[in-house]
Amino acid sequence: MTGSALRPGFLATVGRSEAPSAAPREATLTAHGAVELALWGRPVLHDRSGDRRTLVISRLMRRTDGTVASDEVVESMSADPAALQDLLPPFGAVQARAGAVRFTADWMGFEHLFLFERPGQAMASTSALLIGRLAEAPFDHAGVAVQSQLGWQLGSMTILEGVRKLPPGHSGTMSEDGIAIDSADGGTHRSVASDAVAEAAGILRRSLNSLLDDHPDAVLQLTGGMDSRLLLSAIHPARRRGLHAMTLDVPGAGDVAIARALAERFGMVHDVHGLADVADLTPEEAWHACRAEATVLDGMSDPVALAAQRIAERAFTQGVRISGLGGEVARGFYYVGRVRDRPYERRDAARLASWRMFVNEAVEPGLLTEDFARWARERAIDEVYAALRDGGDEWFRATDDLYLRHRMQRWAGATDIAVSDLRVVINPMLDPAFLRIVSRVHPRDKADAKFLARLQMDLDPELGRLPLDGRPAPATFARPTAWSGAANAYRSGRRFASKASQRLRRGNRPPAGGEVLAAKVVEHWRAHPGLLDSLAHAPFLSQAWLSSVLEGERDPRPSAVALLTNLAVAGERVR
């Protein structure tokens, strides 16, 4: 199974009479004053009077304490979308009423909505590629520059000129006057107790208890790491027996052994599968799989990685999936060195980007023209620095914000909504109240997983004393001694040295199954070179390098195959 051509959603237009016909054939078309609206993929909710038509884009309508009723969504969209800002991401909705269409996304920006506006014309949609085709938008060079280095986007950027993503925590209204954007960032702010660990633990317990009440067959994504361990710990021991869990067996990772031991310990129903199916694909099937994922990702994340994951997922039960996404922010994912309050400059952003961000995702030398490659790297650093500045003047808090408000929405969010045709992904640690607690914890108390380890010991000390994959037990991090502090520093140093070695080799780490899948895609390109015709005149690509790939003289890395797939799909849509 591959991704669908367009995920469920909408297209709203002003001043473009042929636009609705470009929507999927199953779409329902209506006019609201000057606004033409196409809706597809979900049942439309009507109010009692029938004056309002509301489409909930996501399959998830949930707060910490349970499912949100459809009537509440309809009324909140009409009165104040900010009332929906405490829903778990991803969440998005669009509502048509007299003379206007209103749309909103969740507070994290996981639900991707895109906008385009120029004199006499405006468009909003769940599909950037659809807008790009209708607007005949060329590639945005700054967006291509960022994606060529990061593998994903920052802020509201896209790879299409003039097409921008709706910012997190915002809503928009389209009328004959165009698009008006309002900040809906507010919602219900819960008080934070003086004991952050106790309150965070309470949120996770309530969330998991309510979730299993509503979805007793939900599947826990269980790994050997700390985040899924926390979620398991938040589930009462009596409810762990019979709990469904799954683990993806990735070569070189130690997740399976630890996850299997936990499953046996508590009597869970554990499902383990590997990536073997990737090797069984024909080159044509590999290309169609990656092309489909590039479409649902709007060309703005890694379609090779997602295709490999989706193929491996065929063997797993779908439905509702419990994910540990969000723990990265609570442990300072981008922290390096001694954690203390300090200011920062662009050179700090350049160092972070070079050592922690570009090294895994940047395309290989030669794919971009020499001049564009130099400019792309500097432009990407500029954009990283600008994103950091949005997070404030203190370095470590700014890096937290960079991960939470940029990487999470443009990478994790894009992937979550891309697989929504298969499963509902629920991330309890993306609860607004939980992350507000995390944001108030000082970086030095998050560093080296100290806060998360203390949270683990509050939730379940027994599980906290069991080792993690490649790391000691969380209990070691909760109350560090001089020796454990030195050991943490040593492990951090080894990770830093590994990044340095990787950077010096000018190599990057492919996604699980990515090398096999990318090689098959390239084999198909070589048999059908016309598939990349839309890139023949892209001024930022080295045509000599591209020719050498198609002629079999060089084998590109998975990161290069991912970018070229995205550009090829976007190029088809915007020609």
Side-chain angles (χ1 to χ4, degrees), residues 519-535:
K520 290 178 179 290
V521 168
V522 172
E523 185 179 347
H524 189 65
W525 287 346
R526 288 168 178 163
H528 305 277
L531 292 171
L532 300 185
D533 280 352
S534 62
L535 305 181

Side-chain angles (χ1 to χ4, degrees), residues 268-441:
M268 294 187 285
V269 180
H270 190 211
D271 205 7
V272 179
H273 294 286
L275 296 164
D277 286 348
V278 175
D280 296 335
L281 293 182
T282 67
E284 182 179 14
E285 289 170 336
W287 163 243
H288 284 303
C290 292
R291 186 182 182 280
E293 302 307 346
T295 302
V296 294
L297 289 167
D298 280 293
M300 285 173 279
S301 191
D302 189 338
V304 176
L306 184 58
Q309 179 200 90
R310 189 185 289 264
I311 292 164
E313 281 277 0
R314 290 171 175 170
F316 289 105
T317 300
Q318 300 302 314
V320 175
R321 189 73 62 78
I322 307 171
S323 167
L325 198 64
E328 299 89 347
V329 181
R331 61 172 175 268
F333 185 84
Y334 285 140
Y335 294 179
V336 175
R338 181 186 172 195
V339 179
R340 67 191 190 283
D341 288 356
R342 70 175 183 88
Y344 61 96
E345 301 174 350
R346 184 185 183 276
R347 63 184 178 182
D348 296 293
R351 189 177 299 113
L352 173 67
S354 297
W355 291 91
R356 293 296 301 275
M357 302 173 76
F358 296 168
V359 69
N360 280 336
E361 307 292 350
V363 298
E364 61 202 86
L367 185 154
L368 304 173
T369 64
E370 188 175 341
D371 289 344
F372 187 84
R374 282 195 299 267
W375 178 81
R377 187 173 185 83
E378 293 305 309
R379 180 58 185 265
I381 291 171
D382 287 341
E383 295 295 343
V384 170
Y385 182 54
L388 284 163
R389 297 309 314 181
D390 287 343
D393 297 328
E394 197 283 312
W395 172 245
F396 291 101
R397 291 179 178 85
T399 63
D400 281 345
D401 194 78
L402 174 67
Y403 197 95
L404 179 65
R405 307 302 284 176
H406 293 268
R407 179 167 169 81
M408 290 290 277
Q409 62 152 327
R410 301 308 306 270
W411 168 68
T415 302
D416 270 8
I417 61 176
V419 300
S420 62
D421 60 318
L422 292 178
R423 56 186 174 272
V424 177
V425 181
I426 299 179
N427 299 287
M429 284 189 283
L430 294 184
D431 182 290
F434 181 87
L435 287 179
R436 288 188 191 107
I437 293 171
V438 169
S439 70
R440 293 180 60 169
V441 175

Side-chain angles (χ1 to χ4, degrees), residues 364-365 522-523 525-527 542-557:
E364 61 202 86
V522 172
E523 185 179 347
W525 287 346
R526 288 168 178 163
S542 167
Q543 297 302 316
W545 184 95
L546 196 56
S547 294
S548 70
V549 169
L550 295 178
E551 291 167 8
E553 297 171 0
R554 89 172 56 237
D555 296 319
R557 297 174 188 159

